Amino acid sequence: MKQQTGPAKVRPISGFPEWLPSERIVEQHFLDVIRETFELHGYASIRTRAVEPIERLTSLGEDTDKEIYAVSRLAGGSDDSREPKLGLHFDLTVPFARYVLENSGKLTFPFRRYQIQPVWRGERPQEGRYREFLQCDIDIVDVGELAPHYEAELPLVIADAFSKLPIGPFRIQVNNRKIPEGFYLGIGLTDVTSVLRIVDKLDKIGPANVSELLQAAGATPEQAQKCLALAEISAPDESFVERVNALGVEHETLTEGLAELAAVIRVGAEQAPGLMVADLKVARGLDYYTGTVYETQLIGHESYGSICSGGRYDALASDGRTTYPGVGISIGLSRLLAKIMPSLSASRSTPSCVLVSLADETDRPQGMTVAAALRRRGIPCEVAPVAAKFGKQIKFAERRGIPFVWFPASADQNNDSVKDIRSGDQTVADASSWAPPAADLRPRVVT
RNA sequence: GUGGGUGUAGCUCAGCUGGUAGAGCGCCGCCUUGUGGUGGCGGAUGUCGCGGGUUCAAAACCCGUCACUCACCCCA
């Protein structure tokens, strides 16, 4: 047996990102804003377990199962074989659909909920693509029928949240699955999924390559041309309907999709001009979507992909007798932050606003009393780790970005005083009444 | 899963055709005998990813392996 000389070297695990304290402050700010906004719009919070029976996760599409992380006891023996095999959820919509079925008798419909949790996908990581990441999800489900106006509501909620965050300009692209589906069927292409998948690459590989791939998949040059013509349609208003009609393809599903998308875009144009764009190439990977689909890109970072996606699903939650159609959209918070974190920072790496200094270790009780008085009034603070030269204690605060150092009264100073170490200003202060400027109370996100 | 790139100090990296490790930043101490930031002086830190091979000699060359990373696939 080989002798272990020391602990194994610690290493990051690819695809499982972790933030430093100052970055986590930024993330928490985003979480606070998103949560407040969701609640402002009346969404109730739920949390679901991390695992679902693998069967439930895989019943939705062929592509998903290879991404699922299985969960089992390390020492699981034969007595475990009766339990369902478990997997970590890869999104929040599937667990939510299960939760609705399980609690349908206790929920009131239409039910609107938000859910902020990690999800797991066993993919090869890349920039902005992780194996564990945070999603912030809102969904609305109803019994039997779901009013179409909800499909316009969700992007407006997202826009409200994003407008309060330092992420720059963004655009929500909306499409309706029925449009490409009806269109492809209308021109005689029956493998809708494959065609969608190819057309989805348009931005990345260009029209010529898309055409080539389509023809390799069995389309005629004319069919490929039509697909491209449809995919290239994009409009901030209902004008896309005429442009589609001008292509001269007729199909019942297409007509339905056009009407539905037009309704969503109309509301968007009224309530939030410039936010939504009808973009007929948007496809969305997950195949449980049946109508409206959303993607969101940061303007100027289009090739980064979508940072917030979702859509309408009519058949995801069904117990055989009753169906609960829903519509949802999810912020890929980890992906969003990965892109913009380099341009952001926290004003300090700790919540502490004040460091209470100690002239001598015997003064610690006095320092703790000062700290308690500050905390009673909501001022985050901590007492110096050791009594040291004041210069060292100031440096301790400075390295963490703590803006104030408190000096308790001493033999040569009758009063407590507090120093703003950024300006150097020091004033006499009383722990029962002094307060920092509001802007300094909590760490801020700065751009 | 497939293909490319990279692994040297806490961080960013240098290290030529082999001669057993360096810089900047950061960190610590002192100048500064209880109020920091600038400046000066001094200091600590590496299984050179891991295992094997070639060689008198390997961070360097060869083989393997692992990790990270980029692209494909797919997606937030």
Side-chain angles (χ1 to χ4, degrees):
Chain A
M1 188 59 92
K2 199 179 162 190
Q3 195 78 23
Q4 274 290 9
T5 50
K9 205 165 189 174
V10 296
R11 286 212 176 82
I13 301 178
S14 174
F16 291 83
E18 296 176 325
W19 298 120
L20 291 169
S22 61
E23 296 167 325
R24 171 64 175 162
I25 283 171
V26 174
E27 181 178 65
Q28 272 185 315
H29 172 72
F30 275 63
L31 287 165
D32 288 346
V33 168
I34 290 166
R35 175 186 165 175
E36 277 164 23
T37 306
F38 287 173
E39 292 183 353
L40 203 52
H41 288 258
Y43 292 79
S45 175
I46 67 162
R47 205 195 77 90
T48 59
R49 63 202 185 200
V51 293
E52 296 291 335
I54 284 181
E55 198 186 293
R56 171 158 290 277
L57 296 171
T58 53
S59 60
L60 304 153
E62 331 74 54
D63 287 334
T64 47
D65 50 320
K66 66 180 179 189
E67 306 182 348
I68 293 171
Y69 279 102
V71 174
S72 62
R73 285 176 63 218
L74 206 50
S78 54
D79 55 326
D80 279 9
S81 60
R82 280 165 303 170
E83 296 223 340
K85 297 269 180 274
L86 302 178
L88 296 172
H89 57 231
F90 56 82
D91 74 1
L92 299 178
T93 308
V94 172
F96 174 57
R98 187 268 310 159
Y99 178 95
V100 167
L101 290 175
E102 201 170 311
N103 298 286
S104 60
K106 300 168 198 151
L107 301 173
T108 47
F109 296 93
F111 177 51
R112 49 172 70 211
R113 80 90 175 81
Y114 77 90
Q115 198 171 339
I116 299 175
Q117 286 181 231
V119 306
W120 295 269
R121 292 184 194 175
E123 298 177 89
R124 269 283 201 282
Q126 275 172 53
E127 189 197 13
R129 297 182 51 191
Y130 302 107
R131 287 144 82 184
E132 176 182 69
F133 57 99
L134 264 184
Q135 288 198 325
C136 312
D137 206 290
I138 48 176
D139 281 81
I140 301 171
V141 291
D142 207 341
V143 184
E145 297 278 312
L146 179 75
H149 62 80
Y150 290 126
E151 294 164 45
E153 172 181 330
L154 294 191
L156 296 173
V157 178
I158 296 300
D160 193 13
F162 280 0
S163 68
K164 300 173 197 165
L165 292 169
I167 64 167
F170 59 94
R171 177 193 301 125
I172 300 181
Q173 304 156 283
V174 190
N175 194 7
N176 191 303
R177 281 251 170 121
K178 293 176 187 173
I179 294 174
E181 189 180 321
F183 187 91
Y184 300 156
L185 293 173
I187 59 173
L189 289 171
T190 51
D191 188 353
V192 174
T193 313
S194 306
V195 178
L196 268 178
R197 196 160 285 173
I198 294 167
V199 170
D200 196 44
K201 300 181 202 299
L202 181 59
D203 277 345
K204 208 161 204 171
I205 65 177
N209 290 317
V210 167
S211 177
E212 201 170 301
L213 284 174
L214 285 172
Q215 290 177 56
T220 66
E222 294 71 31
Q223 286 172 324
Q225 200 44 51
K226 288 268 191 194
C227 290
L228 280 172
L230 181 76
E232 277 159 5
I233 294 174
S234 165
D237 51 38
E238 297 170 71
S239 64
F240 71 89
V241 178
E242 291 164 33
R243 291 171 63 189
V244 175
N245 288 334
L247 297 175
V249 176
E250 303 239 338
H251 194 276
E252 193 185 339
T253 307
L254 173 62
T255 310
E256 227 174 88
L258 287 171
E260 290 178 9
L261 182 57
V264 172
I265 292 295
R266 190 184 313 128
V267 175
E270 282 165 13
Q271 300 292 323
L275 171 67
M276 289 187 221
V277 56
D279 199 324
L280 303 195
K281 71 174 171 302
V282 169
R284 224 68 296 292
L286 298 174
D287 29 0
Y288 49 68
Y289 296 121
T290 50
T292 299
V293 288
Y294 316 99
E295 286 200 353
T296 309
Q297 47 187 211
L298 296 171
I299 293 173
H301 303 281
E302 285 77 5
S303 62
Y304 189 61
S306 176
I307 46 107
C308 178
S309 308
R312 174 166 177 140
Y313 44 91
D314 283 298
L316 186 56
S318 174
D319 58 13
R321 274 203 311 266
T322 312
T323 296
Y324 302 84
V327 60
I329 190 165
S330 190
I331 300 171
L333 185 60
S334 304
R335 167 176 279 197
L336 174 62
L337 284 172
K339 187 68 194 177
I340 60 176
M341 191 62 88
S343 70
L344 300 176
S345 59
S347 56
R348 57 182 184 257
S349 63
T350 166
S352 286
C353 177
V354 179
L355 175 76
V356 180
S357 70
L358 294 180
D360 188 277
E361 199 51 41
T362 59
D363 296 331
R364 186 168 292 279
Q366 189 193 351
M368 291 171 76
T369 303
V370 168
L374 293 171
R375 289 180 196 128
R376 260 196 299 281
R377 293 183 300 105
I379 300 166
C381 59
E382 63 189 275
V383 180
V386 290
K389 286 205 229 177
F390 286 141
K392 281 197 79 168
Q393 299 189 62
I394 290 170
K395 224 170 163 182
F396 175 95
E398 188 189 25
R399 272 207 308 272
R400 291 163 178 75
I402 300 173
F404 296 98
V405 175
W406 194 277
F407 298 97
S410 65
D412 24 282
Q413 268 191 304
N414 291 328
N415 299 298
D416 285 18
S417 63
V418 65
K419 180 187 185 92
D420 182 333
I421 65 173
R422 297 160 300 187
S423 63
D425 296 343
Q426 186 165 343
T427 55
V428 169
D430 185 325
S432 65
S433 60
W434 176 86
D440 288 332
L441 189 59
R442 304 276 170 186
R444 289 186 323 282
V445 173
V446 294
T447 54

